Amino acid sequence: MLAGDIGLELGLRVADALKAALDVDITPVEALIRPAAPGRGADYQCNVAMSLAKRLGRPPRDVAAALVEHLDAADLVEPPEVAGPGFVNLTLRRDWLQEHTSRLLGDDRLGVPEARPRRYAIDYSSPNVAKEMHVGHLRSTIIGDAVVRLLEFAGHEVIRHNHLGDWGTPFGMLIEHLVDLGWTSGEHSIGDLDGFYQQARKKFDADPAFADRARHRVVALQGGDEPTLALWRELVRESERHFATVYELLGVKLTDGDYYGESFYNPFLDEVVDELEAKGLTEVSDGAVCVFPPGFTNREGEPLPLIVRKSDGGYGYAGTDLATARYWTRDRGATDLLYLVGTPQAQHFRMVFAASRAAGWLDDDHRAAHIGFGSVLGEDGKILRTRAGGTVKLVDLLREAVDRAAAVVGERSKQDPEGQGRVARAVGIGAVKYADLSGDREKDYVFAWDRMLAMEGNTSVYLQYANARVLSIVRRVGHDAEPGTPVVLAEPAERALAVKVLQFPAALATATEEYAPHKLCTYLYETAVAFSAFYESCPIAQAEDDRTRRSRLVLARLTSRALTLGLSLLGIEAPDRM
Ligand code: ARG
């Protein structure tokens, strides 16, 4: 058996003990097993006695004592100790640790079990046609891609869909503007999407005749007029070309085949209204067909509508999102819908989910979650903008990241200019991604080059260097550590590193289940730090004997595997040499 999630295993044992000792039922998670703080003299702490004490009306120390007495875990941990008000300190047995560490080298998954597969449909990136992607789309793309990788590694089926904003009233004015520019075929290209959008907008506001043409154009578009559709397709394709440059630079998994834009759901919109009406969920309000999901009110306490069909017969953002939920659950059999969209849209998604549950598209086995995130701020603490005050072009931002990274890594790899290009890309793009992933996603973060490219601290370049250093040591000392090579954990730093490596499955499980990549980042950083401490006090090449040398080599190789695998699940490359 592989170690798997040790905390969960301990939780199971604690749950069994409490059942035997006090006849209470808890889940392994409720056992509250936490990695102990360094210097506590234990690996894990169990805090369940405090939480049960009240429920049972007994002093926490008594609960802890009863638990310890009935705990059947002698194969795994040293005899447990009760500390303070009722903590139970758990220390893994050295022989257990040694055996499991040694075995882990034979496992590409580093002890991570495969989940019972579910089918996820994940909506991420989702920019808008004829507009530059902004940093909000950058966050959606980066976090979404990490979530995709985490879920796939866990063994789930993941369908990516890019909910491109490619439909709606602005397209009338955009297409008319194209016509004015003399577009007829695909030989043209828009250099600057935002500029194009703003010009169209300006004309629309200033020129009533243009505005009139734009409105007719919307009707033609929605009516399926072929020449209009042809121009619309050009516009969409041109925007997709822009987005492809960003995806390519980022190295994300999104491809051209993943677009399911708003227009994709058009054919289903009438059926959605019919179905909602048939289920008695709609009300007509000011001519619009609405759903009023219970519990949503405005400041005046009036019920808030989700507008399914507007009074002019057209459909908007909300109607399309209802069709989206219905399509992925009903037509594509998705069990889990994930939406990677900024937190300002939280209420929209809560309402869409509530309406979808009422319609029966979501239920206990068809779940939906909005994975929100905060904004990217400039160093002045305001929403990130260019110096001129415009929106930051992502392509420029990413190219700058690679240039800056080249300067950071440049001095160290002058002999290998080609390799340096690849390393600069890994470091630069990695820095942008890691800065986005390493903080709690719900919070805003400040985009600061110096911080994200710092060699010390919780940054990707620190982890990349740590990994390259481990690999260079392994190259120097030799590869003669195979799975099954005995591991001896004599020094505290060796033991600490082994415990860290064995916690990989637990760290990954938390990051995956909570859609919290930052928890994986923290784990990787701690692992790199544990390796540093280990390498300072435990020489490998100069180890006192061959057995120790090979044992330490196992630890080094496992460290590199944890770092490489962990980074790859965040979508970040870990170069072998830097
Ligand atoms: N295009 C939207 C925006 O830029 C995001 C779409 C998110 N996905 C969705 N199904 N609503 O704000």
Side-chain angles (χ1 to χ4, degrees):
M1 184 210 95
L2 281 160
D5 184 336
I6 304 168
L8 205 59
E9 178 63 32
L10 289 170
L12 276 167
R13 309 283 185 106
V14 166
D16 286 348
L18 287 169
K19 179 80 190 158
L22 305 161
D23 197 31
V24 286
D25 290 295
I26 62 158
T27 66
V29 172
E30 288 166 342
L32 303 177
I33 309 283
R34 304 279 178 261
R40 278 285 174 125
D43 297 315
Y44 290 90
Q45 202 172 47
C46 169
N47 302 338
V48 74
M50 268 75 67
S51 77
L52 273 187
K54 255 186 241 127
R55 198 169 119 193
L56 300 174
R58 294 176 57 165
R61 276 194 75 98
D62 283 9
V63 178
L67 157 63
V68 162
E69 196 187 319
H70 286 81
L71 187 66
D72 180 5
D75 55 324
L76 204 66
V77 290
E78 304 287 349
E81 276 168 29
V82 179
F87 304 114
V88 178
N89 284 337
L90 299 166
T91 302
L92 295 166
R93 286 172 59 136
R94 191 154 69 118
D95 54 352
W96 185 92
L97 269 174
Q98 294 182 158
E99 193 195 321
H100 282 270
T101 312
S102 142
R103 234 190 272 168
L104 211 52
L105 202 55
D107 179 20
D108 287 339
R109 297 181 58 83
L110 269 183
V112 177
E114 298 229 19
R116 191 143 37 90
R118 297 179 61 86
R119 180 177 292 173
Y120 284 81
I122 165 163
D123 175 336
Y124 75 115
S125 195
S126 307
N128 301 311
V129 162
K131 281 192 192 168
E132 281 311 326
M133 267 193 193
H134 56 66
V135 279
H137 300 122
L138 178 72
R139 291 212 76 182
S140 173
T141 310
I142 291 174
I143 303 170
D145 214 56
V147 169
V148 167
R149 288 167 199 264
L150 289 168
L151 289 170
E152 282 181 345
F153 186 75
H156 297 295
E157 184 187 346
V158 182
I159 312 176
R160 303 175 294 265
H161 59 110
N162 196 342
H163 196 89
L164 185 67
D166 64 357
W167 204 247
T169 42
F171 284 88
M173 100 195 164
L174 292 167
I175 291 171
E176 272 316 307
H177 187 43
L178 271 190
V179 171
D180 289 0
L181 292 178
W183 270 48
T184 42
S185 68
E187 286 153 38
H188 312 265
S189 80
I190 306 173
D192 165 17
L193 288 178
D194 276 336
F196 175 85
Y197 190 94
Q198 265 138 37
Q199 280 162 20
R201 176 93 247 167
K202 222 193 258 159
K203 261 203 281 181
F204 185 86
D205 292 337
D207 177 354
F210 179 83
D212 214 43
R213 265 157 59 204
R215 275 187 281 271
H216 281 103
R217 194 56 89 165
V218 178
V219 178
L221 180 67
Q222 289 175 344
D225 173 56
E226 198 35 59
T228 301
L229 279 172
L231 286 166
W232 169 78
R233 271 185 226 113
E234 283 302 322
L235 207 53
V236 172
R237 214 168 302 150
E238 174 67 8
S239 303
E240 288 178 356
R241 266 194 288 273
H242 278 254
F243 304 146
T245 321
V246 175
Y247 297 148
E248 159 99 42
L249 268 168
L250 280 174
V252 292
K253 292 190 139 207
L254 273 177
T255 65
D256 281 355
D258 298 328
Y259 284 112
Y260 289 80
E262 293 176 7
S263 63
F264 174 83
Y265 302 96
N266 276 343
F268 311 117
L269 292 167
D270 288 333
E271 296 167 28
V272 167
V273 176
D274 292 347
E275 186 173 337
L276 292 170
E277 272 172 355
K279 289 181 169 156
L281 296 168
T282 56
E283 268 171 60
V284 176
S285 167
D286 290 333
V289 179
C290 301
V291 176
F292 290 89
F296 295 91
T297 48
N298 65 13
R299 259 185 242 117
E300 283 73 49
E302 297 153 10
L304 272 180
L306 198 58
I307 301 173
V308 191
R309 187 165 61 203
K310 295 185 280 186
S311 55
D312 67 3
Y315 293 94
Y317 195 60
T320 305
D321 265 333
L322 288 170
T324 305
R326 176 175 176 267
Y327 172 76
W328 287 101
T329 49
R330 220 200 45 172
D331 297 0
R332 297 292 294 270
T335 57
D336 294 80
L337 309 182
L338 304 182
Y339 298 81
L340 274 289
V341 188
T343 36
Q345 295 192 32
Q347 170 163 288
H348 163 77
F349 284 108
R350 277 202 304 273
M351 291 177 75
V352 169
F353 298 164
S356 301
R357 220 168 299 124
W361 306 324
L362 295 176
D363 53 35
D364 287 350
D365 207 44
H366 298 82
R367 312 179 292 215
H370 169 220
I371 304 180
F373 47 81
S375 312
V376 186
L377 308 177
E379 296 194 57
D380 57 1
K382 301 204 185 99
I383 299 288
L384 188 68
R385 300 230 174 260
T386 59
R387 256 186 228 127
T391 43
V392 177
K393 263 189 150 187
L394 290 191
V395 189
D396 297 344
L397 189 89
L398 297 176
R399 295 215 170 106
E400 182 172 353
V402 177
D403 285 348
R404 283 176 181 264
V408 170
V409 296
E411 291 166 48
R412 297 175 187 237
S413 52
K414 277 206 183 86
Q415 307 89 325
D416 171 21
E418 222 194 90
Q420 184 185 322
R422 236 179 303 128
V423 170
R425 197 190 132 117
V427 170
I429 299 299
V432 172
K433 288 187 174 180
Y434 198 84
D436 202 307
L437 295 168
S438 54
D440 184 341
R441 64 177 156 76
E442 308 257 8
K443 301 211 173 100
D444 298 345
Y445 77 94
V446 174
F447 194 96
W449 290 116
D450 291 347
R451 202 168 332 137
M452 67 175 76
L453 282 163
M455 295 284 199
E456 291 300 324
N458 188 10
T459 64
S460 58
V461 60
Y462 172 76
L463 296 177
Q464 287 165 325
Y465 265 115
N467 180 57
R469 179 156 162 255
V470 179
L471 288 175
S472 106
I473 295 165
V474 171
R475 277 194 297 271
R476 218 161 0 98
V477 180
H479 283 275
D480 54 339
E482 306 84 39
T485 296
V487 167
V488 202
L489 301 172
E491 298 293 327
E494 290 175 315
R495 193 183 183 288
L497 181 57
V499 170
K500 264 285 154 227
V501 170
L502 282 165
Q503 284 172 342
F504 186 85
L508 202 61
T510 317
T512 308
E513 283 157 22
E514 298 174 13
Y515 310 116
H518 74 285
K519 299 205 173 167
L520 177 57
C521 296
T522 305
Y523 166 82
L524 294 176
Y525 177 61
E526 289 169 359
T527 304
V529 169
F531 181 84
S532 266
F534 154 81
Y535 193 57
E536 242 164 63
S537 57
C538 305
I540 304 182
Q542 262 74 49
E544 46 275 33
D545 53 56
D546 201 51
R547 193 182 145 85
T548 309
R549 183 184 62 83
R550 292 179 69 203
S551 164
R552 290 180 181 165
L553 208 47
V554 173
L555 289 174
R557 292 185 58 187
L558 288 173
T559 302
S560 162
R561 193 175 296 164
L563 293 178
T564 316
L565 179 56
L567 285 170
S568 84
L569 295 175
L570 298 170
I572 297 175
E573 280 176 58
D576 288 355
R577 294 164 201 264
M578 290 175 70

